[in-house]
Amino acid sequence: MSINTYYATAEPSTSSIEEESVPPPQPQVTERLFQPRYSGRVRQRRKPSSWQNQPSLAKLFKPPDDINFKGSFEQAADEASSAGSWLLVNIQDPLEFKCHQLNRDVWNKAEVRGIIEGSFILWQQENSSKHGQWYCSFYGVREFPHVAILNPKTRQIAKIWENVEDVVDVVSFQESLTEFLRTNSRASSKRQKREHTSSSTQDDDLLQAAIQASLEESATSSRGPKSEIKQHQGKQRPEPGPDVKVVSSVEISPDIKAAVKVSPEPDAGPSVTTLRVRLPSTMGGEQLRRRFFKKASIQNVIDFVWDHMLKAENVPGKGIENLVLKTTFPRRTLNKKATLQDSKLLNAVVQAEFDD
């Protein structure tokens, strides 16, 4: 077959091309692939929809972190004891809806908050936390939410809510708190301290009066000259009567009674923290409270404690070099050169002890 014959056979007929439909050309479109950075236009923000204005679940069931004491159970009890308040304990289980309902309907109410801030220290913990597990194990808590009022000094439960419905009902719970405060009023620690100081002063006055009366009686009954009486009074201390209590104090040697320089207490501020120091049990277990700068050293706190002991004449025959500070939980001895901020002792409680 010739070449001409092949091409003649391969070329389509004109009639078949005309029969096929050819689509029209697409119109020309001009588009911008990206918006220039500085176009001069001001974009209008979309107005949020109505559901976006509604509070989220996290806000509705938010725990009362602003009034909740952050710390261990012992620290919360000490804080309530020093403030003259009751300790209000709440143990939560995140899997129980009643616990979240308690946050929403009770702890976030202004009326309940006012009662708590005036007479209670709130300590809320989850049952899975370290402090929550200890509390549940010690007090045998099995049902949640657990709400109870404890005496901060004895750590005994003064009131517990057995019925959960009485707790989540804000009206019933508020009435229960008010009734408890009406029937269980407590004097603050400061007031008790003032009463104790005034009674001690009265006892000292009575002691001095009894000693003076004994001196006068001894001087009247004596037949010797007045000079011998004065000499006798200077050498011997007259014995008080049988109804008078004799207060003996430990003599402090001059080497041990070394004075220290204590800086004045700073005013409250962002760079200042409050520290509570508990004295050894052999010295009465008194708790001191004072403000310090966060950059103050542990040695500055020891100096303050030592100065308090010297003024109270309550030094157990040991020097300041034997006085150390220890944390309560976990128990560890603090470095005297470290600062309060580095030792994480902001608004904390420490124990003062004498090392051998």
Side-chain angles (χ1 to χ4, degrees):
M1 183 175 60
S2 63
I3 297 176
N4 296 332
T5 306
Y6 173 78
Y7 280 110
T9 306
E11 290 180 357
S13 59
T14 307
S15 59
S16 62
I17 296 176
E18 293 177 354
E19 292 177 357
E20 295 180 0
S21 60
V22 179
Q26 295 182 355
Q28 185 178 0
V29 178
T30 303
E31 294 181 354
R32 181 171 291 172
L33 298 179
F34 63 91
Q35 185 73 16
R37 178 175 296 181
Y38 303 104
S39 61
R41 296 181 181 179
V42 179
R43 286 189 174 184
Q44 295 182 355
R45 295 183 179 180
R46 288 185 176 182
K47 294 183 179 181
S49 57
S50 59
W51 67 270
Q52 289 177 340
N53 292 329
Q54 300 297 328
S56 61
L57 293 177
K59 292 181 179 179
L60 283 175
F61 299 95
K62 182 182 178 181
D65 295 332
D66 54 337
I67 61 174
N68 184 29
F69 182 85
K70 298 174 179 61
S72 64
F73 174 78
E74 292 295 331
Q75 293 174 346
D78 292 339
E79 176 67 21
S81 179
S82 62
S85 304
W86 292 93
L87 181 60
L88 182 60
V89 178
N90 175 217
I91 306 298
Q92 300 275 70
D93 185 1
L95 301 179
E96 293 289 340
F97 178 73
K98 292 291 184 181
C99 297
H100 301 284
Q101 186 179 355
L102 184 64
N103 291 337
R104 182 193 64 182
D105 299 340
V106 178
W107 302 135
N108 288 327
K109 298 300 180 182
E111 298 81 2
V112 178
R113 284 171 170 261
I115 299 176
I116 293 176
E117 292 176 356
S119 305
F120 295 94
I121 295 295
L122 178 62
W123 188 68
Q124 185 189 78
Q125 295 287 329
E126 292 187 357
N127 60 343
S128 58
S129 64
K130 176 179 62 176
H131 301 306
Q133 290 178 356
W134 176 88
Y135 181 90
C136 294
S137 175
F138 188 82
Y139 289 95
V141 178
R142 297 292 181 269
E143 297 181 357
F144 305 98
H146 168 81
V147 181
I149 299 176
L150 278 73
N151 189 321
K153 291 186 177 181
T154 62
R155 270 65 165 175
Q156 293 181 350
I157 296 179
K159 179 177 177 59
I160 186 172
W161 281 263
E162 300 289 350
N163 189 3
V164 180
E165 299 299 332
D166 294 338
V167 179
V168 296
D169 185 5
V170 62
V171 177
S172 176
F173 185 73
Q174 184 178 351
E175 292 177 354
S176 300
L177 290 180
T178 306
E179 180 65 20
F180 177 83
L181 293 176
R182 188 180 64 83
T183 57
N184 298 274
S185 59
R186 289 178 63 244
S188 64
S189 59
K190 295 181 179 179
R191 180 181 176 184
Q192 291 177 355
K193 186 175 181 181
R194 289 196 299 267
E195 292 177 354
H196 175 73
T197 304
S198 62
S199 61
S200 301
T201 306
Q202 294 176 359
D203 294 340
D204 294 341
D205 295 340
L206 292 175
L207 178 61
Q208 294 295 333
I211 294 175
Q212 185 67 25
S214 178
L215 287 173
E216 293 176 357
E217 182 180 358
S218 176
T220 304
S221 60
S222 178
R223 296 180 181 179
K226 296 183 178 180
S227 60
E228 294 181 359
I229 295 175
K230 292 182 179 180
Q231 184 179 3
H232 176 73
Q233 291 177 359
K235 289 184 179 181
Q236 295 183 356
R237 183 177 180 180
E239 296 181 358
D243 297 335
V244 179
K245 298 181 181 179
V246 179
V247 180
S248 61
S249 59
V250 179
E251 294 294 336
I252 304 174
S253 61
D255 297 335
I256 295 177
K257 191 175 180 180
V260 292
K261 185 178 180 181
V262 180
S263 59
E265 184 177 9
D267 297 331
S271 61
V272 176
T273 183
T274 302
L275 193 67
R276 293 179 298 277
V277 184
R278 188 181 301 168
L279 299 183
S281 57
T282 56
M283 304 174 64
E286 182 184 358
Q287 186 176 112
L288 308 179
R289 184 171 181 175
R290 190 181 187 271
R291 292 186 298 270
F292 293 92
F293 286 106
K294 296 179 181 179
K295 294 184 179 180
S297 64
I298 301 298
Q299 184 62 48
N300 297 139
V301 183
I302 293 177
D303 294 341
F304 161 71
V305 176
W306 181 257
D307 182 69
H308 174 80
M309 292 179 179
L310 293 180
K311 291 179 180 178
E313 296 184 357
N314 194 12
V315 180
K318 294 184 180 180
I320 189 175
E321 65 275 1
N322 301 113
L323 185 61
V324 296
L325 297 181
K326 297 182 179 181
T327 57
T328 56
F329 185 83
R331 195 164 183 81
R332 60 184 177 90
T333 303
L334 298 172
N335 185 6
K336 296 182 180 181
K337 297 182 180 180
T339 63
L340 297 180
Q341 190 168 10
D342 295 338
S343 303
K344 298 180 180 180
L345 294 178
L346 304 182
N347 298 323
V349 180
V350 294
Q351 176 72 42
E353 294 182 358
F354 282 96
D355 283 350
D356 298 331

